Amino acid sequence: MRIVVLVKQVPDMERVKFDCEAGRVDRSSAGTEINPFDLNALEAAVSIQEQLGGKIITLSMGPAAAEDALKDTIARGADESVLLSDRRFGGADVKATAKTIAAAIKKLGGADLIFAGIQTVDGDTGQVGPETAGYLDIPHISNVDFISAYSETDITVVSNVMEGSYVKKSSYPVLITVTKDINQPRLPSMKRKLSARKAHIPVWGYEELQDYIREDEIGLQGSATKVKRIEVPPAVTRKGQVWRENVEEAIDGLVEVLKKAKVLEV
Amino acid sequence: MKENIKAKLTEIVGQDWVVSNPEIIKTLCSDEAEIKITPCYDCIAAKPATAAEVAAIVKLANEEGIAVIARGGATGLVNAVVPIQPTIIISMERFKKIIEVDESNLTVECEAGVTLLDLVEYFNSHPTLYFAAHPGDEGAQVGGMIATNAGGVRTIKYGVVRDQVKSMEVVLPTGEIINMGGKFIKDNCGYDLKDLIIGSEGTLGIITKAVLALQPKEKYTGSVLIAFNTTADAVACVPDILKRGIKPLAVEYVERIQATNAATDIGQVWPVSKGSDDLYLIIASNSEDEFYEICETIVEICDAHNAVETLICETAKEQRNILEIRSHVYPSMLKKLVDCLDMAVPPDKIPAYMEQIRALSQKYGVEIQTCAHIGDGNMHNNIMTPDGQRPDCYEDLLDEIIQLCMSCNGTLTGEHGVGKLRNRHMKLQFTEKELELMRAIKKIFDPNNILNPGTAIC
Amino acid sequence: MKMTEKDCKGILVFAEQKKERIHRVSYELLGKGKELAAQLDCPLCSVVLGPPDMDVAELIYRGADIVYHITDPMAFAAPDEVLYEQNLVRLIRDVKPEICLFGATNFGRSLAPRVAAKLGAGLTADCTHLAIDQGQLVQIRPAFSENILAHIQSTAYPQMATVRYKEFNEAPRDTNRKGQIKAMEAYVSDNSPVKILEEIVKEDFDIADANVVVAAGAGVKAKEDLKMLQELAELLGGKLGASRAAVEAGLIAKDHQVGYSGNRVKPSIYIACGISGAPQHIAGMKESGIIIAINSDPSAPILNIADYAIVGNLYEIIPKMIRKLKNMKS
């Protein structure tokens, strides 16, 4: 049983600032941490490994500093980690990112199960997981908040799509994206944390992946979208409209607000 | 309540800001104390926005001979803001402004109604500075935290609220507005009126504005949870940690049952499962290596004291979860709680004190669950019964606990204050001469006994 | 085969259906798609996967010029991303649209990336605006916790985006509108490695996922008064929330409580009824889209953070609002 968990190091979203003039995120303004949903993905992997054995490999693409996030995954139960880091990977959009990750998973020799968080808190697209499955040509099940059963050959989960909850069963390999409701990630033990700090995290650049991906498929060059410009919308201020005497007028006003907000169509 | 008072208050603060609706008044007559005294509902509330308006109300009260209570977040636990006679309640909620952050002197100037949560959120997005104390419920207001000299979880490194107040603007009980203190460290000029008003529980003045100390943010913070099989092991660990020169932001002790109940109550999970008694430390450092060195030392000390599990949380969310569960211990007990005591004892007396508390619990057959700001010796022994009803032996039990506390050279209340709840026990801690001095001070500040009568002294 | 600008023409809107009911976001996409199609002078097409006897003319009424109806009696009854993807990719390769739009529903967000991967296309998630600039689609999406708006363009074809629900107006319904329905049997209907065993009904109450919250405070006097708030909530597709005071008064269960410690919510609309606005409460709801407060106390702090406030008696206002909303609906 080989389980790969996709993780991303993200800025602490409560603290991070946006540099309006440079039009980019000022990542130095905040500490970093593992994308919270990825901890749920890792916990799902660890709890399956506890029953079935096998190996958990965490995989992240990012700058060299993302090594810290991977060390943290080792403290939390991963057996091995690989960091995909190369200047040439820079500027990757969802497509180039998913393709690079897919290439790395192929180089690892594939996986039975791949877990990913439903989305990252910084990018927020929720696309890398399903697109990676697409590039690996394996099925995926998204928005999973419950694992009903699993064995050496297949897994049954509850997937929340189409305004319903569907019990889906898939043979391996399959990629699963999980929500925060699937489990409560355990805290790492201090001893594991202290020893994980000393772990060696292998770094793969383009050279290591070149049998699986072309150079024009990575980074900016391999991207199929580009950000034309960034707009900083004005801060939202509360309208502060107060009605006092005339209830009828107030109700008319509120109904208008509700209509505009499209909540009357249910 | 006399009609003319409503009219005069309306003149001072405007019609919208006077509350006389009895149903709303009712909601302004309590705090979070579990032991409820009977409030006097014959009250009127005003919501001024400036110190001048507060002063005008206080002057009016002196003219009319009516009591005044300044009400902050009302998160206190000793009925300090509960009126016991016809009273003008001054709600400070409109004093909401964070006025200035002074990065050179490491201070923030804010109005009295700014809440702890406002400060926390404001400094969350500040790049380098923060308000290091966490004195209580997030809804607590700056004025109230100063008036009660609140303590809370994070006192080990930076002290209690008294240690955070650089200066403040106060409306005296006679209606004058004065400023005291300043952005300096040393000040030996005359009696320290500021320190007298801090912790006076709204009896010597109404705080309208304050300058509070800030601390540079440490780059690395983490929370450590350590589980033990016995209270004695957990408690004995603490002096050994502090002795090594480790100054965590917080060192908390919590009985497992309290932690798990609090967590369940807010839909969380307390992350530790082994053992029965937990220590919870918040560690902060500017260097990653030093941070982990501290962690290693703590593991070593705790192992020597038979720790059964040691967990670390470093992400903002995980750390917030733990603090939230810890903050929720009090509300989660309420259904069973009879009295939440607040003794503080010298750290070296903690093991003996805890042992005696257990003995008293057995002697009276009454459950006493304990959580404690153990790093500073502030113990919350919670007297509990299955239905929260006071047991017949309550007074005897309480007397014995107080005597125990006195025999340990402790104090009746470490952080909650006296309010209108602990007055009658003050005689056990103070001589008549000391109490006389306190009364005399009150008389000098407040000759007509207008401000929060019946509170803080006896 | 890579698609290029030259061979791609037209806009294709994916219409999501469940039990043959089309998701309303699809009509919103047709509404927006119509505008974009006019600017590009191209046809607006829609694709729906469903049983052969499904009535798909609605998509014509809502503005589609051509509806591709991929049919199978069973295959599309459940949300199987693999089957959907295989059929859509075949269609898109045949039709070669320049723009493909999906609703950013849970299913759309799961399906679109698979399709994009198979086509080698770019994909922009969760757009809130779409525009045309020099013949190219500009995809505008909030990023970074809504702090910024990124303007994104695709460099590969088709240009693909998922679009948030309730951002655009639904296309008006015109039953006289004519269009072409092209029904075709599914290219693939049964080789998915994923088996969908059943749809289960969950009854977990989670106030945090409500789009509209109608919340009760100390101003609500009795348990049965909650019925009118519940009715208002239902009319708005929302859920019932509560302040700590209401929970402690025993009016309602704790899982409805909104506050700093409790449930922090971020609905599009928050209607605070008889809630004074203690700091703990405000901390749990201040990030709501639009805050409406109904309170008889003009000094209640909640009024300071509300977008719209009525100072008045909720026992008069709520029933009147309910009556008015009901009249509008019937």
Side-chain angles (χ1 to χ4, degrees), chain A residues 12-17 29 31-34 36-37 39-40 68 71-72 75-76 180 184-195 197-198 244, chain B residues 16 123-127 217 224-225 267-269 271 283 288-289 292-293 295-296 298-299 303 310-318 320-322:
Chain A
D12 174 353
M13 292 302 286
E14 283 170 25
R15 301 208 169 151
V16 72
K17 289 232 168 70
S29 65
T32 56
E33 58 187 36
I34 297 185
F37 298 103
L39 292 180
N40 297 99
D68 288 345
K71 284 181 176 172
D72 199 22
R76 291 168 190 269
K180 67 175 170 40
Q184 173 94 15
R186 273 167 276 192
L187 293 174
S189 86
M190 183 92 102
K191 280 173 196 160
R192 249 199 109 121
K193 178 76 198 180
L194 292 170
S195 73
R197 281 193 78 216
K198 292 161 194 144
R244 280 174 182 249
Chain B
D16 277 2
F123 286 104
N124 259 346
S125 55
H126 193 280
K217 279 183 182 166
V224 181
L225 291 171
Q268 300 268 11
V269 177
I283 298 160
E288 191 178 356
D289 286 340
Y292 287 108
E293 265 168 39
C295 290
E296 257 178 308
I298 289 172
V299 168
D303 280 355
T310 306
L311 304 179
I312 178 165
C313 40
E314 293 173 285
T315 72
K317 186 176 158 222
E318 284 168 346
R320 197 176 49 229
N321 280 354
I322 305 293

Coordinates of all heavy atoms in Angstrom, one line a residue, chain A residues 12-17 29 31-34 36-37 39-40 68 71-72 75-76 180 184-195 197-198 244, chain B residues 16 123-127 217 224-225 267-269 271 283 288-289 292-293 295-296 298-299 303 310-318 320-322:
Chain A
D12 N 0.3 32.1 6.8 CA -0.7 32.2 7.9 C -1.7 33.3 7.4 O -1.3 34.5 7.4 CB 0.0 32.6 9.2 CG -1.0 32.8 10.3 OD1 -2.2 32.9 10.0 OD2 -0.5 33.0 11.4
M13 N -2.8 32.9 7.0 CA -3.8 33.8 6.3 C -4.3 34.9 7.2 O -4.8 35.9 6.7 CB -4.9 33.0 5.7 CG -4.5 32.1 4.6 SD -3.7 33.0 3.2 CE -5.1 33.8 2.5
E14 N -4.2 34.7 8.5 CA -4.6 35.8 9.4 C -3.7 36.9 9.4 O -4.0 38.0 9.8 CB -4.8 35.2 10.8 CG -6.1 34.4 10.9 CD -6.1 33.6 12.3 OE1 -5.5 34.1 13.2 OE2 -6.8 32.6 12.3
R15 N -2.5 36.7 9.1 CA -1.5 37.7 9.2 C -0.9 38.3 7.9 O -0.5 39.4 7.8 CB -0.3 37.2 10.0 CG -0.7 36.7 11.3 CD 0.4 36.8 12.3 NE -0.1 36.5 13.6 CZ 0.6 36.0 14.6 NH1 1.8 35.7 14.5 NH2 0.0 35.8 15.8
V16 N -1.0 37.5 6.9 CA -0.4 37.8 5.6 C -1.0 39.1 5.0 O -2.2 39.4 5.2 CB -0.4 36.7 4.6 CG1 -1.8 36.5 4.1 CG2 0.6 36.8 3.5
K17 N -0.1 39.9 4.4 CA -0.6 41.1 3.8 C -0.5 41.1 2.3 O 0.3 40.3 1.8 CB 0.3 42.3 4.3 CG 0.1 42.6 5.8 CD -0.2 44.1 5.9 CE -0.6 44.4 7.3 NZ 0.4 44.3 8.3
S29 N 5.4 38.8 5.2 CA 4.6 39.5 6.3 C 4.0 38.5 7.3 O 3.4 38.9 8.3 CB 3.5 40.3 5.7 OG 2.5 39.5 5.0
G31 N 4.1 34.2 9.0 CA 4.7 32.9 9.1 C 4.1 32.0 8.1 O 3.1 32.4 7.4
T32 N 4.6 30.8 8.0 CA 4.0 29.8 7.1 C 3.5 28.6 7.8 O 4.0 28.4 9.0 CB 5.0 29.4 6.0 OG1 6.1 28.8 6.7 CG2 5.4 30.5 5.1
E33 N 2.7 27.9 7.2 CA 2.2 26.7 7.9 C 1.7 25.7 6.8 O 1.6 26.1 5.6 CB 1.1 26.9 8.9 CG -0.1 27.6 8.3 CD -1.1 28.0 9.4 OE1 -0.7 28.4 10.5 OE2 -2.3 28.0 9.1
I34 N 1.4 24.5 7.2 CA 0.8 23.6 6.2 C -0.6 24.0 5.9 O -1.3 24.4 6.9 CB 0.8 22.1 6.7 CG1 2.3 21.7 6.9 CG2 0.1 21.2 5.8 CD1 2.4 20.3 7.4
P36 N -4.2 24.0 6.0 CA -5.0 23.3 7.0 C -5.7 22.0 6.5 O -5.7 21.0 7.2 CB -6.0 24.3 7.6 CG -5.4 25.6 7.2 CD -4.5 25.4 6.0
F37 N -6.3 22.1 5.3 CA -7.0 20.9 4.8 C -6.0 19.8 4.5 O -6.4 18.6 4.5 CB -7.7 21.3 3.5 CG -8.8 22.3 3.7 CD1 -8.5 23.6 3.3 CD2 -10.0 22.0 4.2 CE1 -9.5 24.6 3.4 CE2 -10.9 23.0 4.4 CZ -10.7 24.3 4.0
L39 N -3.7 18.8 6.3 CA -3.5 18.1 7.6 C -4.6 17.0 7.7 O -4.4 15.9 8.2 CB -3.5 19.0 8.8 CG -2.3 20.0 8.9 CD1 -2.5 20.8 10.2 CD2 -1.0 19.2 9.0
N40 N -5.8 17.4 7.2 CA -6.9 16.4 7.2 C -6.6 15.3 6.3 O -6.8 14.1 6.5 CB -8.2 17.0 6.8 CG -8.7 18.1 7.8 OD1 -8.5 19.3 7.6 ND2 -9.2 17.7 8.9
D68 N 10.2 22.9 5.5 CA 9.7 22.9 6.9 C 8.3 22.2 6.9 O 8.0 21.5 7.9 CB 9.6 24.3 7.4 CG 10.9 24.9 7.7 OD1 11.9 24.2 7.8 OD2 11.0 26.2 7.8
K71 N 8.8 18.5 6.7 CA 9.3 18.0 8.0 C 8.2 17.8 9.0 O 8.1 16.9 9.7 CB 10.4 18.9 8.6 CG 11.7 18.7 7.8 CD 12.8 19.6 8.5 CE 14.1 19.4 7.8 NZ 15.1 20.4 8.2
D72 N 7.3 18.8 8.9 CA 6.1 18.8 9.8 C 5.3 17.5 9.5 O 4.7 16.9 10.4 CB 5.3 20.1 9.7 CG 4.4 20.3 10.9 OD1 4.7 19.7 12.0 OD2 3.4 21.0 10.8
A75 N 6.7 14.6 11.2 CA 6.4 14.6 12.6 C 5.0 14.1 12.8 O 4.7 13.5 13.8 CB 6.5 16.1 13.2
R76 N 4.1 14.3 11.8 CA 2.7 13.9 12.0 C 2.4 12.6 11.4 O 1.3 12.2 11.2 CB 1.8 15.0 11.3 CG 1.8 16.3 12.0 CD 1.1 17.4 11.2 NE 1.3 18.7 11.7 CZ 0.4 19.3 12.6 NH1 -0.6 18.6 12.9 NH2 0.7 20.5 13.0
K180 N -12.5 19.5 5.9 CA -12.1 19.6 7.3 C -12.9 18.7 8.2 O -12.5 18.4 9.3 CB -12.1 21.0 7.8 CG -13.4 21.6 7.9 CD -13.4 23.0 8.5 CE -14.7 23.8 8.4 NZ -15.9 23.0 8.7
Q184 N -10.2 14.8 12.8 CA -9.5 15.9 13.6 C -8.1 15.5 13.6 O -7.7 14.5 14.2 CB -10.1 15.8 15.0 CG -9.4 16.7 16.0 CD -10.0 18.0 16.1 OE1 -11.2 18.2 15.7 NE2 -9.3 18.9 16.7
P185 N -7.2 16.2 12.8 CA -5.8 15.9 12.7 C -5.2 15.8 14.1 O -5.4 16.7 15.0 CB -5.2 17.0 11.9 CG -6.3 17.6 11.2 CD -7.5 17.5 12.1
R186 N -4.4 14.8 14.3 CA -3.7 14.7 15.6 C -2.6 15.7 15.7 O -2.1 16.1 14.6 CB -3.1 13.3 15.7 CG -4.0 12.2 16.3 CD -3.4 10.9 16.0 NE -3.7 10.4 14.7 CZ -3.6 9.1 14.3 NH1 -3.0 8.2 15.2 NH2 -3.9 8.7 13.1
L187 N -2.2 16.0 16.9 CA -1.0 16.8 17.0 C 0.2 15.9 17.0 O 0.1 14.8 17.5 CB -1.1 17.6 18.4 CG -2.1 18.6 18.5 CD1 -2.2 19.1 20.0 CD2 -1.9 19.8 17.5
P188 N 1.3 16.4 16.5 CA 2.5 15.6 16.6 C 3.1 15.5 18.0 O 2.9 16.4 18.8 CB 3.5 16.4 15.7 CG 3.0 17.8 15.6 CD 1.6 17.7 15.9
S189 N 3.7 14.4 18.3 CA 4.3 14.3 19.6 C 5.6 15.1 19.5 O 6.2 15.3 18.5 CB 4.6 12.9 19.9 OG 5.9 12.5 19.4
M190 N 5.9 15.7 20.7 CA 7.1 16.6 20.7 C 8.3 15.8 20.3 O 9.2 16.3 19.6 CB 7.3 17.1 22.1 CG 8.4 18.0 22.3 SD 7.8 19.7 22.1 CE 7.8 20.1 23.8
K191 N 8.4 14.5 20.7 CA 9.6 13.8 20.4 C 9.8 13.6 18.9 O 10.8 13.7 18.3 CB 9.6 12.4 21.1 CG 10.1 12.6 22.5 CD 10.0 11.4 23.4 CE 10.1 11.8 24.8 NZ 9.5 10.8 25.7
R192 N 8.6 13.2 18.2 CA 8.6 13.1 16.8 C 9.0 14.4 16.1 O 9.7 14.4 15.1 CB 7.3 12.6 16.3 CG 7.3 11.1 15.8 CD 6.1 10.8 15.0 NE 6.5 10.7 13.6 CZ 6.3 9.6 12.8 NH1 5.7 8.5 13.4 NH2 6.7 9.5 11.6
K193 N 8.4 15.4 16.6 CA 8.7 16.8 16.1 C 10.2 17.1 16.1 O 10.8 17.5 15.1 CB 7.9 17.8 16.8 CG 8.1 19.2 16.4 CD 7.4 19.5 15.1 CE 7.9 20.7 14.4 NZ 7.2 21.0 13.1
L194 N 10.8 16.8 17.3 CA 12.2 17.2 17.4 C 13.1 16.3 16.5 O 14.0 16.8 15.9 CB 12.6 17.0 18.9 CG 12.0 18.1 19.9 CD1 12.2 17.7 21.3 CD2 12.4 19.5 19.6
S195 N 12.7 15.0 16.3 CA 13.5 14.2 15.5 C 13.2 14.5 14.0 O 14.2 14.5 13.2 CB 13.4 12.7 15.8 OG 12.2 12.3 15.4
R197 N 12.8 17.3 12.8 CA 13.5 18.5 12.4 C 14.8 18.2 11.7 O 15.4 18.9 10.9 CB 13.8 19.4 13.6 CG 12.7 20.2 14.1 CD 13.2 21.2 15.1 NE 13.9 22.3 14.5 CZ 14.9 23.0 14.9 NH1 15.5 22.6 16.0 NH2 15.4 24.0 14.3
K198 N 15.3 17.0 12.1 CA 16.6 16.6 11.6 C 16.5 15.7 10.3 O 17.5 15.3 9.8 CB 17.4 15.9 12.6 CG 17.8 16.8 13.8 CD 18.2 16.1 15.1 CE 18.2 17.1 16.2 NZ 17.7 16.5 17.5
R244 N -36.4 54.1 11.1 CA -36.9 54.2 12.4 C -38.4 54.1 12.5 O -38.9 53.2 13.1 CB -36.4 55.5 13.0 CG -35.0 55.3 13.6 CD -34.5 56.6 14.1 NE -33.1 56.4 14.5 CZ -32.7 56.5 15.7 NH1 -33.6 56.8 16.7 NH2 -31.5 56.3 16.1
Chain B
D16 N -31.1 58.6 22.1 CA -30.8 57.2 21.7 C -30.0 56.5 22.7 O -29.9 55.3 22.7 CB -30.0 57.2 20.4 CG -31.0 57.4 19.2 OD1 -32.2 57.5 19.4 OD2 -30.5 57.3 18.1
F123 N -3.9 43.5 16.5 CA -2.5 43.2 16.5 C -2.2 41.9 15.7 O -1.0 41.7 15.4 CB -1.9 43.2 17.9 CG -1.8 44.6 18.4 CD1 -2.7 45.1 19.3 CD2 -0.8 45.5 17.9 CE1 -2.6 46.4 19.8 CE2 -0.7 46.8 18.4 CZ -1.6 47.3 19.3
N124 N -3.2 41.1 15.4 CA -2.9 40.0 14.5 C -2.4 40.5 13.2 O -1.5 39.8 12.6 CB -4.2 39.3 14.2 CG -4.4 38.0 15.1 OD1 -3.4 37.5 15.6 ND2 -5.6 37.5 15.1
S125 N -2.9 41.6 12.8 CA -2.4 42.1 11.5 C -1.3 43.1 11.6 O -0.9 43.8 10.6 CB -3.6 42.7 10.6 OG -4.2 43.6 11.4
H126 N -0.8 43.3 12.8 CA 0.3 44.3 13.0 C 1.6 43.4 12.7 O 1.8 42.3 13.2 CB 0.3 44.9 14.4 CG 1.3 46.0 14.5 ND1 2.6 45.9 14.7 CD2 1.1 47.4 14.4 CE1 3.2 47.0 14.7 NE2 2.3 48.0 14.6
P127 N 2.6 44.0 12.0 CA 3.7 43.2 11.6 C 4.6 42.8 12.8 O 5.2 41.8 12.8 CB 4.5 44.1 10.6 CG 4.0 45.5 10.8 CD 2.6 45.3 11.3
K217 N 6.6 41.0 18.7 CA 6.1 39.7 18.5 C 7.3 38.7 18.4 O 8.3 39.0 17.7 CB 5.4 39.6 17.1 CG 4.0 40.0 17.2 CD 3.3 39.9 15.9 CE 1.8 40.4 16.0 NZ 1.2 40.6 14.7
V224 N 2.5 23.7 24.0 CA 2.9 22.3 24.3 C 1.9 21.7 25.3 O 1.5 22.4 26.3 CB 4.3 22.3 25.0 CG1 4.7 20.9 25.3 CG2 5.3 23.0 24.1
L225 N 1.4 20.5 25.1 CA 0.5 19.9 26.0 C 1.3 18.6 26.6 O 1.8 17.8 25.8 CB -0.7 19.4 25.3 CG -1.7 20.5 24.8 CD1 -2.7 19.9 23.9 CD2 -2.3 21.2 26.0
G267 N -17.7 21.6 20.4 CA -17.5 20.7 19.2 C -16.0 20.5 18.9 O -15.7 20.3 17.7
Q268 N -15.1 20.6 19.8 CA -13.7 20.3 19.5 C -13.3 19.0 20.2 O -14.1 18.4 20.9 CB -12.9 21.5 20.1 CG -13.2 22.8 19.5 CD -12.4 23.1 18.3 OE1 -11.7 22.3 17.8 NE2 -12.4 24.4 17.8
V269 N -12.0 18.7 20.0 CA -11.5 17.5 20.7 C -10.2 17.9 21.4 O -9.4 18.6 20.8 CB -11.2 16.4 19.6 CG1 -10.5 15.2 20.4 CG2 -12.4 16.0 18.9
P271 N -6.8 17.3 22.4 CA -5.9 16.4 21.7 C -5.2 15.3 22.5 O -4.7 14.4 21.9 CB -4.9 17.3 21.0 CG -5.1 18.7 21.6 CD -6.3 18.7 22.4
I283 N 4.9 28.8 24.5 CA 6.3 29.1 24.4 C 6.5 30.1 23.3 O 6.0 29.9 22.2 CB 7.2 27.9 24.3 CG1 7.0 27.0 25.5 CG2 8.6 28.2 24.2 CD1 7.4 25.6 25.3
E288 N 14.4 30.1 16.1 CA 13.8 28.7 15.9 C 14.6 27.7 16.7 O 14.0 26.9 17.4 CB 13.8 28.3 14.4 CG 13.0 27.1 14.1 CD 13.0 26.8 12.6 OE1 13.6 27.5 11.8 OE2 12.5 25.7 12.3
D289 N 15.9 27.8 16.7 CA 16.7 26.9 17.4 C 16.5 27.0 18.9 O 16.3 26.0 19.6 CB 18.2 27.1 17.1 CG 18.6 26.6 15.7 OD1 17.8 25.8 15.2 OD2 19.6 27.1 15.1
Y292 N 13.2 25.4 19.9 CA 13.2 23.9 20.0 C 14.1 23.4 21.1 O 13.8 22.4 21.7 CB 13.6 23.2 18.7 CG 12.4 23.3 17.6 CD1 12.5 24.2 16.6 CD2 11.3 22.6 17.8 CE1 11.5 24.3 15.7 CE2 10.2 22.7 16.9 CZ 10.3 23.6 15.9 OH 9.3 23.7 15.0
E293 N 15.1 24.2 21.4 CA 15.9 23.9 22.6 C 15.1 23.9 23.9 O 15.1 23.0 24.7 CB 17.1 24.9 22.8 CG 18.4 24.5 22.2 CD 19.4 25.6 22.1 OE1 19.4 26.4 23.1 OE2 20.0 25.8 21.1
C295 N 11.9 23.5 24.0 CA 11.0 22.3 23.9 C 11.7 21.1 24.4 O 11.2 20.3 25.1 CB 10.5 22.1 22.5 SG 9.4 23.3 21.9
E296 N 13.0 20.9 24.0 CA 13.8 19.7 24.4 C 14.0 19.7 25.9 O 13.8 18.7 26.5 CB 15.1 19.7 23.7 CG 15.1 18.7 22.5 CD 16.4 18.6 21.7 OE1 16.9 19.7 21.3 OE2 16.9 17.5 21.5
I298 N 12.1 21.1 28.1 CA 10.8 20.8 28.7 C 10.5 19.3 28.7 O 10.1 18.7 29.7 CB 9.7 21.6 28.1 CG1 9.8 23.1 28.5 CG2 8.3 21.1 28.5 CD1 8.9 24.0 27.7
V299 N 10.7 18.7 27.5 CA 10.5 17.2 27.4 C 11.3 16.5 28.5 O 10.8 15.6 29.1 CB 10.9 16.7 26.0 CG1 10.9 15.2 25.9 CG2 9.9 17.2 25.0
D303 N 9.7 14.3 31.3 CA 10.0 12.9 31.4 C 10.5 12.5 32.8 O 10.1 11.4 33.3 CB 11.1 12.5 30.4 CG 10.5 12.4 29.0 OD1 9.2 12.5 28.9 OD2 11.2 12.2 28.0
T310 N 3.6 14.0 25.3 CA 3.9 15.4 25.1 C 3.6 15.7 23.7 O 4.2 15.2 22.8 CB 5.4 15.6 25.5 OG1 5.7 15.2 26.8 CG2 5.7 17.1 25.4
L311 N 2.7 16.7 23.5 CA 2.3 17.0 22.1 C 2.7 18.5 21.9 O 2.7 19.3 22.8 CB 0.8 16.9 21.9 CG 0.2 15.5 22.2 CD1 -1.3 15.5 21.9 CD2 0.9 14.4 21.2
I312 N 2.9 18.8 20.6 CA 3.2 20.2 20.3 C 2.3 20.7 19.2 O 2.0 20.0 18.3 CB 4.7 20.4 19.9 CG1 5.0 21.8 19.5 CG2 5.0 19.5 18.7 CD1 6.5 22.1 19.5
C313 N 1.8 22.0 19.4 CA 1.1 22.5 18.3 C 1.7 23.8 17.9 O 2.0 24.7 18.7 CB -0.4 22.6 18.5 SG -1.0 23.1 20.1
E314 N 1.8 24.0 16.6 CA 2.5 25.2 16.1 C 1.7 26.0 15.1 O 1.9 27.2 14.9 CB 3.8 24.7 15.4 CG 4.8 24.2 16.3 CD 6.0 23.6 15.6 OE1 5.9 22.5 15.0 OE2 7.1 24.2 15.6
T315 N 0.7 25.4 14.4 CA 0.0 26.2 13.5 C -1.0 27.1 14.3 O -1.4 26.8 15.4 CB -0.9 25.3 12.5 OG1 -2.0 24.8 13.3 CG2 -0.1 24.2 11.9
A316 N -1.3 28.3 13.6 CA -2.1 29.3 14.3 C -3.4 28.6 14.7 O -3.9 28.9 15.8 CB -2.3 30.4 13.4
K317 N -4.0 27.8 13.8 CA -5.3 27.3 14.1 C -5.3 26.3 15.3 O -6.1 26.3 16.1 CB -5.8 26.5 12.8 CG -7.2 26.0 12.9 CD -7.6 25.4 11.6 CE -8.8 24.5 11.8 NZ -8.7 23.2 11.0
E318 N -4.3 25.4 15.3 CA -4.1 24.5 16.4 C -3.9 25.2 17.7 O -4.6 24.8 18.7 CB -3.0 23.5 16.1 CG -3.3 22.4 15.0 CD -2.1 21.7 14.6 OE1 -0.9 22.1 14.8 OE2 -2.3 20.7 13.9
R320 N -4.9 28.2 18.4 CA -6.1 28.9 18.8 C -7.1 27.9 19.4 O -7.8 28.2 20.3 CB -6.6 29.6 17.6 CG -7.6 30.7 18.0 CD -8.1 31.5 16.8 NE -8.5 30.6 15.7 CZ -8.1 30.7 14.5 NH1 -7.3 31.7 14.1 NH2 -8.5 29.9 13.5
N321 N -7.2 26.7 18.8 CA -8.1 25.7 19.3 C -7.8 25.4 20.7 O -8.8 25.4 21.5 CB -8.0 24.4 18.5 CG -8.7 24.5 17.2 OD1 -9.4 25.4 16.9 ND2 -8.5 23.4 16.4
I322 N -6.6 25.2 21.1 CA -6.3 24.9 22.5 C -6.6 26.0 23.4 O -7.3 25.8 24.4 CB -4.7 24.6 22.6 CG1 -4.3 23.5 21.6 CG2 -4.4 24.2 24.1 CD1 -4.9 22.1 21.9

